[in-house]
Amino acid sequence: MIAQLFDKAPCGYISFYDDGTIFEVNETLGSILRIDKQALKGKNVESLFTLPTKIFCQTHLFPLLKIQSHAEEIFLTLLSSDGEYLPVLLNAQRMEWEKRMITSCVFIVVPNRKKFEDELVAARKTAENALSQNTDLVAVKAALQKHTKKLEQQMRLVSSQNQELQQFSHVVTHNLKEPLRKILFYTEKLQGETQLPTMEKLARSAQQMKAVVTGLQQYVWLNEKANQYQQVNLDAIVQNAISQLTKEHDAHLLNLQMDVLGSLEGDEDQLELMLYHLLDNAVKFRKGEKANVIIKSTLLKQNAFRQVAGKYDYQSFIKLEVTDDGIGFDPEYKNHIFELFRKLHSGEGQGLGLALCKKITGNHAGIIEADGKPGISTTITIWLPLQQAAFGLQEALPGMLNP
């Protein structure tokens, strides 16, 4: 008897799981949609919606139900089996049923929907007029407008400063190349004509300047380059980095042991540059005849929220540990080692390599840390997400997430 009353109720009824699978409907809803109710069971509830209704449910209704477990007087449009649009009014309740979360809904067809919508618009305007006349809200609005203008001024200033910095970067990295090339050319020519000791110092200084300009070019490139994320094989780009390294150093200077690193989504050129600089530092700051380097790889989960307290979204990360047995460094300086032009040791290096590594890690929503033991070892630890989609970086602006 109760089942018959449920089937013949003067409203459509439907229940579905969180994945959208329908598990219960009544005959009234089947009659409204002109579909046998048994044929509806097992289908996805979104198959009953028009496209605009699907979008509304995905972006508003379903999230609302997960937050407050109920919704009332929601206007939707259903799609009958013969393609007719059916405006309905919906009430919904999300609850636990037999250890699973379900959403139960009742539908009432409202052919006078337009009239109701006009009444809602009129009510909204009335409410807005009432709010605009509220003295406190007017004061808040004025304060907000003042802050908005101030923010606009600050944003214009920042934009202007960014343009000036961009121009300065181009001057430093491009306009210096030609005079530097001539300095190197004439220095080499003079070295062939005279054997003065100062010539060797001059040549060394010119090469150092060339290294600085090259490093700045790479830094500017990382700021301006549009990140091109794709599936990257880390083992392959390590080999590419080693090939580049052997063009500048003897191959026997590096002894590398590494795990199978795997793959992740990233910018291949940037990641190769990062690994090149890590290996290059190991070779430059070795304490013996060769640099012994170990690269370890671990898959783990990390919270994607780092700045917002109390929020959690655990994503898959690759943790890379690059350890060498070189001269190391005092861990007191581990927070300064990634600063631009920061040198902890005299001799080779311009203090650019690890700054570039930090920039690249930031471009991949990653984290980079350093630890050292003076005279014993240096370990650079990098966490990189397997997928950039979790951080909304597929179309991110270059450099926008640098820490």
Side-chain angles (χ1 to χ4, degrees):
M1 182 65 180
I2 294 177
Q4 289 179 343
L5 289 173
F6 166 74
D7 269 337
K8 303 297 183 181
C11 61
Y13 173 88
I14 188 170
S15 293
F16 54 91
Y17 298 112
D18 275 356
D19 64 359
T21 303
I22 299 170
F23 77 93
E24 187 58 70
V25 297
N26 68 351
E27 287 184 3
T28 303
L29 181 61
S31 176
I32 292 171
L33 298 174
R34 303 178 187 91
I35 306 174
D36 182 81
K37 75 170 192 176
Q38 296 302 326
L40 289 171
K41 293 182 180 180
K43 285 189 174 184
N44 191 289
V45 68
E46 291 188 11
S47 67
L48 309 180
F49 301 153
T50 62
L51 179 59
T53 296
K54 288 180 183 178
I55 296 172
F56 172 78
C57 289
Q58 292 169 1
T59 58
H60 292 77
L61 178 58
F62 295 160
L64 176 67
L65 288 170
K66 288 186 178 181
I67 293 172
Q68 65 181 33
S69 300
H70 63 89
E72 291 83 26
E73 299 182 4
I74 304 296
F75 283 108
L76 301 176
T77 304
L78 301 184
L79 192 63
S80 71
S81 62
D82 54 8
E84 182 184 355
Y85 284 18
L86 300 170
V88 298
L89 191 66
L90 170 141
N91 283 5
Q93 181 76 37
R94 186 169 179 265
M95 67 191 79
E96 185 174 353
W97 178 265
E98 296 182 351
K99 299 183 179 180
R100 291 187 67 177
M101 297 305 296
I102 67 166
T103 299
S104 292
C105 307
V106 292
F107 298 95
I108 299 175
V109 178
V110 283
N112 295 321
R113 175 175 180 172
K114 184 65 170 61
K115 176 184 174 182
F116 293 154
E117 287 179 341
D118 291 340
E119 290 174 353
L120 286 173
V121 170
R124 179 180 177 182
K125 288 182 178 179
T126 302
E128 288 175 347
N129 290 335
L131 287 173
S132 66
Q133 295 172 2
N134 184 288
T135 305
D136 293 337
L137 287 177
V138 169
V140 170
K141 183 178 179 181
L144 180 60
Q145 182 70 12
K146 181 180 178 180
H147 286 298
T148 301
K149 289 181 179 179
K150 186 177 181 180
L151 179 61
E152 171 67 19
Q153 293 173 349
Q154 291 173 340
M155 289 178 68
R156 281 202 299 263
L157 178 61
V158 169
S159 177
S160 175
Q161 290 174 339
N162 282 340
Q163 290 177 1
E164 291 172 359
L165 285 173
Q166 211 168 38
Q167 293 170 7
F168 176 75
S169 298
H170 278 284
V171 169
V172 171
T173 59
H174 295 285
N175 294 17
L176 286 180
K177 285 182 68 178
E178 181 58 22
L180 179 59
R181 186 189 67 80
K182 290 180 179 178
I183 290 172
L184 288 168
F185 173 76
Y186 287 115
T187 300
E188 292 176 2
K189 188 174 181 180
L190 286 171
Q191 278 186 300
E193 297 173 358
T194 178
Q195 299 298 320
L196 291 175
T198 53
M199 292 308 304
E200 183 178 345
K201 294 180 180 179
L202 178 60
R204 187 164 56 249
S205 296
Q207 289 296 338
Q208 288 175 345
M209 183 180 291
K210 179 183 177 183
V212 169
V213 171
T214 300
L216 284 173
Q217 277 186 301
Q218 292 175 338
Y219 200 85
V220 171
W221 171 73
L222 288 173
N223 267 329
E224 297 181 348
K225 180 182 184 293
N227 301 325
Q228 298 176 343
Y229 298 116
Q230 59 182 332
Q231 203 64 22
V232 177
N233 186 312
L234 292 175
D235 302 274
I237 64 172
V238 168
Q239 296 305 318
N240 293 341
I242 292 173
S243 298
Q244 179 63 30
L245 197 66
T246 54
K247 295 177 182 178
E248 303 168 19
H249 304 282
D250 291 337
H252 75 277
L253 294 178
L254 176 66
N255 176 36
L256 176 64
Q257 301 177 37
M258 68 179 194
D259 297 339
V260 175
L261 304 184
S263 299
L264 54 74
E265 189 178 14
D267 187 299
E268 184 172 354
D269 293 336
Q270 292 188 37
L271 293 174
E272 183 178 323
L273 180 63
M274 179 185 73
L275 288 163
Y276 162 80
H277 278 293
L278 294 178
L279 296 176
D280 184 54
N281 276 356
V283 172
K284 285 178 180 176
F285 300 109
R286 67 190 185 279
K287 64 173 180 280
E289 291 185 359
K290 61 174 61 181
N292 296 301
V293 180
I294 299 174
I295 303 179
K296 295 181 179 179
S297 172
T298 309
L299 282 176
L300 45 76
K301 294 283 187 179
Q302 284 275 98
N303 185 14
F305 287 98
R306 298 171 197 153
Q307 306 300 326
V308 182
K311 295 291 184 180
Y312 302 95
D313 180 19
Y314 285 90
Q315 301 292 332
S316 297
F317 279 70
I318 286 183
K319 176 184 177 184
L320 298 177
E321 294 178 281
V322 182
T323 303
D324 67 67
D325 63 349
I327 60 177
F329 70 94
D330 189 332
E332 178 183 350
Y333 301 103
K334 66 181 182 179
N335 294 326
H336 303 286
I337 198 170
F338 298 104
E339 294 173 4
L340 198 60
F341 295 115
R342 186 61 176 251
K343 293 180 63 173
L344 301 185
H345 306 291
S346 59
E348 292 195 58
Q350 306 302 323
L352 277 163
L354 288 178
L356 292 169
C357 291
K358 183 178 181 181
K359 196 81 169 173
I360 292 167
T361 305
N363 283 351
H364 289 76
I367 305 171
I368 186 168
E369 294 179 352
D371 192 21
K373 298 177 182 177
I376 299 177
S377 67
T378 297
T379 298
I380 304 296
T381 305
I382 299 169
W383 289 264
L384 295 171
L386 287 182
Q387 299 292 332
Q388 296 297 317
F391 298 85
L393 290 184
Q394 302 98 319
E395 299 178 356
L397 295 175
M400 68 180 289
L401 286 173
N402 285 324

